[in-house]
Amino acid sequence: FWSVHSRGVCGWDFHDVLFSGFAPDGGMFMPESLPVLSPETLRSWKILTYPKLVVEVASLFIPSELIPRHDLEALVHAALSGFSVPEVVRIASLKDGLSILELFHGDTLAFKDLAMTCTVRFIDYFLHKENRKAMVVVGTSGDTGGSAIQSVKGLSGLDVVVVYPRGHITPVQEKHMITALDDNVHVFAAEGCSDDIDQPLRRLFADQDFVRSHNLMSLNSVNWSRVMVQLVHFIYAYLQLIDLDQVSDLEALPELEVVVPTGGAGNIAAGYIVKQMGLPLRLVAMVNSNDIIHRTVTKGDFSMAPNVLQTLAPAIDIQDPYNMERVFWLLLENDGAYVKKVMEEFQNSHRHTLSENHRKLLSQQLLSETVSDDGILETMRRCWEENQYVLCPHTAVAVWHHYHHSHSRGQLRCYIATASPAKFQSAVKKAGLAFELPEKVQELDKLPTRYENLERSPNWCKDWEDRLRDKIKCVASARTHNVCYYR
């Protein structure tokens, strides 16, 4: 692996990258080269279950010297065994060719459970092997935090510190975090949006001495392992929807259009990587009113709006789509110096304008549209009327595309369902629909809660960073002296 900012940071293996998050030069990690999926390989994978497909894809990036094959199989099986449907993920085939890939059958009812549970198992495997401990620090726009907590809670070798934007997420998302009372779970509610939270966390991780001394790591989709598992979403969808047995010329595989509700761009980055690995995908990034990716694709305007807008799809209320860094790197043929310049300019000034040549290159690989709250509600209602199927508002952002773009005969599409509607009851009610809540969701209201507040102040970014540093030091000290820590 090497950093997308510089080939000088190279030679890192999966273990190093798993525990590092960002590279020391501030860039994200990518494999030095991507494997190519041959048509024969795809045909042999056609019969695999989702967990077995995860093993095959993960083994392309994790050498057996690091995790032997039998251990890898056991880790993935353990990670995915608790999902509520036997197949782990499934495709709902609805009217007029509407195929929805349901990725939300894990503990927190969101797609992030898939990659998070696997990644935490990999981390725990190495920690036990090396007899050491680590601390995960996560900023979340809603789903990542709950998924990280549910995956980490109770593990002896890991603590997790999560910061979420108070008032910007749904009650179910919040309760998945603040009802975890385990000794190794530490939750902060910040008075700001998810992009605000990213600022002190970037500063924290930039202090490499502090990161090393406290064994800090990230479980956001900055972490390559998260993106690696997300590759499987696209491969699985392709193998389920394309009948390879009917394809006579395996050198001319049919194209699958995959439509993705997009915020931080982790799934889009994964889809683009899979495309680079040889799968013929047509990627569509659908965004809500926080439309930075749409503006980047259509106008070359990679700039933050003055404010993050609150929408009915809060998990993608993001103006800093950090995984676009990986997309730019692949698009520009691994030009790390240029990508570093783009991302530093963006982080410093919150804006960068792509050259028209680069914008055209991007638009050839990625389509994009933006959907208003009214469009979200319209889509949720129509899908119910035609299919008696309730969409979550994020999935509705993607499915809006289905109702506004007729597809040509023989064209296959797949829409990514990132979360269950059970997490977004207010949006479901606003659409005039009803959805029977799972028993586990109903029980959340009865559970005790624990969290700390991060209040807004004139120097809030530095204050939040200091509070998080203090917490990390206290947790590390308590862990060293084998005492339980509460605050």
Side-chain angles (χ1 to χ4, degrees):
F1 290 82
W2 57 35
S3 166
V4 301
H5 285 186
S6 169
R7 294 192 181 186
V9 182
C10 62
W12 293 44
D13 63 20
F14 176 79
H15 171 279
D16 301 328
V17 169
L18 178 67
F19 283 94
S20 298
F22 286 104
D25 66 356
M28 293 185 182
F29 282 108
M30 280 288 289
E32 292 181 9
S33 61
L34 292 173
V36 175
L37 301 177
S38 69
E40 292 75 18
T41 296
L42 292 172
R43 182 169 275 177
S44 71
W45 285 357
K46 177 79 176 175
I47 60 172
L48 298 182
T49 61
Y50 183 88
K52 288 183 178 179
L53 188 58
V54 172
V55 172
E56 294 298 332
V57 173
S59 67
L60 298 175
F61 302 97
I62 307 174
S64 58
E65 308 88 72
L66 284 179
I67 304 181
R69 175 75 180 213
H70 64 277
D71 286 346
L72 182 61
E73 290 174 349
L75 291 170
V76 171
H77 174 76
L80 301 178
S81 61
F83 282 62
S84 61
V85 297
E87 59 267 55
V88 182
V89 305
R90 65 185 179 194
I91 293 178
S93 299
L94 307 179
K95 184 179 177 182
D96 296 330
L98 177 55
S99 297
I100 297 179
L101 181 64
E102 297 179 349
L103 302 176
F104 52 72
H105 296 291
D107 281 343
T108 71
L109 309 176
F111 81 97
K112 301 193 175 178
D113 293 332
L114 292 159
M116 190 71 73
T117 54
C118 292
T119 297
V120 167
R121 292 284 175 169
F122 300 152
I123 293 166
D124 194 49
Y125 174 84
F126 287 120
L127 290 176
H128 274 89
K129 198 173 180 181
E130 298 159 12
N131 191 30
R132 66 188 183 98
K133 299 178 186 294
M135 195 177 308
V136 172
V137 181
V138 174
T140 182
S141 59
D143 288 331
T144 299
S147 184
I149 287 169
Q150 295 304 315
S151 298
V152 170
K153 69 178 186 179
L155 295 179
S156 59
L158 272 174
D159 279 90
V160 59
V161 177
V162 171
V163 189
Y164 73 88
R166 186 174 67 235
H168 291 257
I169 63 176
T170 71
V172 174
Q173 288 176 312
E174 185 173 43
K175 284 167 187 168
H176 274 142
M177 292 183 272
I178 64 176
T179 57
L181 306 185
D182 303 73
D183 293 345
N184 67 330
V185 175
H186 317 277
V187 181
F188 286 88
E191 188 182 348
C193 66
S194 61
D195 287 345
D196 292 336
I197 291 168
D198 285 341
Q199 294 184 49
L201 293 186
R202 278 184 180 271
R203 288 167 56 151
L204 197 66
F205 276 97
D207 184 346
Q208 285 296 302
D209 289 339
F210 187 77
V211 168
R212 281 191 294 269
S213 65
H214 293 89
N215 290 322
L216 300 187
M217 58 178 300
S218 169
L219 275 182
N220 291 79
S221 55
V222 165
N223 193 303
W224 164 254
S225 178
R226 287 268 312 275
V227 175
M228 177 188 73
V229 177
Q230 286 172 207
L231 306 180
V232 185
H233 307 342
F234 296 87
I235 299 170
Y236 182 81
Y238 190 88
L239 296 176
Q240 292 296 308
L241 293 171
I242 302 294
D243 189 353
L244 293 178
D245 293 333
Q246 299 301 313
V247 178
S248 56
D249 181 5
L250 286 180
E251 297 303 319
L253 294 172
E255 183 181 71
L256 176 67
E257 183 174 87
V258 186
V259 186
V260 186
T262 302
N267 263 332
I268 279 296
Y272 190 39
I273 291 167
V274 168
K275 189 172 181 177
Q276 297 285 99
M277 292 167 67
L279 216 60
L281 301 178
R282 188 170 188 258
L283 297 172
V284 183
M286 298 296 295
V287 300
N288 59 21
S289 298
N290 297 287
D291 62 349
I292 180 171
I293 289 179
H294 176 67
R295 287 184 283 107
T296 304
V297 171
T298 58
K299 301 177 182 177
D301 177 19
F302 186 51
S303 64
M304 292 188 190
N307 298 294
V308 175
L309 302 174
Q310 283 191 263
T311 76
L312 293 174
I316 56 174
D317 286 348
I318 291 173
Q319 287 284 357
D320 183 0
Y322 46 87
N323 265 291
M324 287 300 289
E325 182 170 318
R326 288 182 164 118
V327 174
F328 291 150
W329 187 74
L330 290 168
L331 184 76
L332 302 176
E333 299 181 346
N334 308 356
D335 187 345
Y338 184 80
V339 171
K340 181 178 182 179
K341 178 184 174 184
V342 169
M343 297 312 297
E344 286 183 347
E345 181 181 335
F346 178 74
Q347 291 302 326
N348 292 330
S349 68
H350 294 169
R351 64 179 56 253
H352 174 79
T353 301
L354 296 184
S355 69
E356 181 57 16
N357 181 46
H358 289 165
R359 188 205 66 78
K360 284 182 178 177
L361 283 174
L362 181 61
S363 64
Q364 288 166 8
Q365 301 297 329
L366 182 63
L367 304 176
S368 179
E369 288 188 275
T370 180
V371 183
S372 67
D373 277 0
D374 286 343
I376 290 172
L377 296 173
E378 165 209 310
T379 302
M380 293 173 72
R381 293 184 191 111
R382 182 166 177 182
C383 188
W384 173 256
E385 289 165 2
E386 295 186 2
N387 302 284
Q388 287 71 58
Y389 186 94
V390 181
L391 300 169
C392 97
H394 306 80
T395 309
V397 169
V399 173
W400 182 93
H401 182 268
H402 175 77
Y403 293 125
H404 292 81
H405 294 276
S406 59
H407 50 297
S408 57
R409 186 169 184 170
Q411 181 187 22
L412 289 170
R413 282 179 178 164
C414 179
Y415 296 84
I416 302 294
T418 53
S420 164
K423 299 189 79 166
F424 304 96
Q425 299 163 50
S426 176
V428 172
K429 289 177 182 175
K430 198 164 186 178
L433 306 177
F435 184 80
E436 186 175 349
L437 294 179
E439 188 176 337
K440 278 188 175 181
V441 173
Q442 296 180 43
E443 290 173 352
L444 289 173
D445 287 332
K446 305 171 187 175
L447 299 177
T449 63
R450 187 179 74 213
Y451 63 95
E452 300 178 47
N453 286 314
L454 291 176
E455 305 294 349
R456 201 78 173 187
S457 64
N459 195 21
W460 60 269
C461 187
K462 179 66 166 61
D463 291 345
W464 292 4
E465 181 188 354
D466 290 344
R467 283 282 303 283
L468 293 172
R469 282 177 182 269
D470 289 345
K471 168 63 81 173
I472 289 164
K473 290 175 185 176
C474 289
V475 171
S477 176
R479 188 173 59 193
T480 301
H481 294 93
N482 295 316
V483 298
C484 296
Y485 179 80
Y486 293 96
R487 180 176 173 184

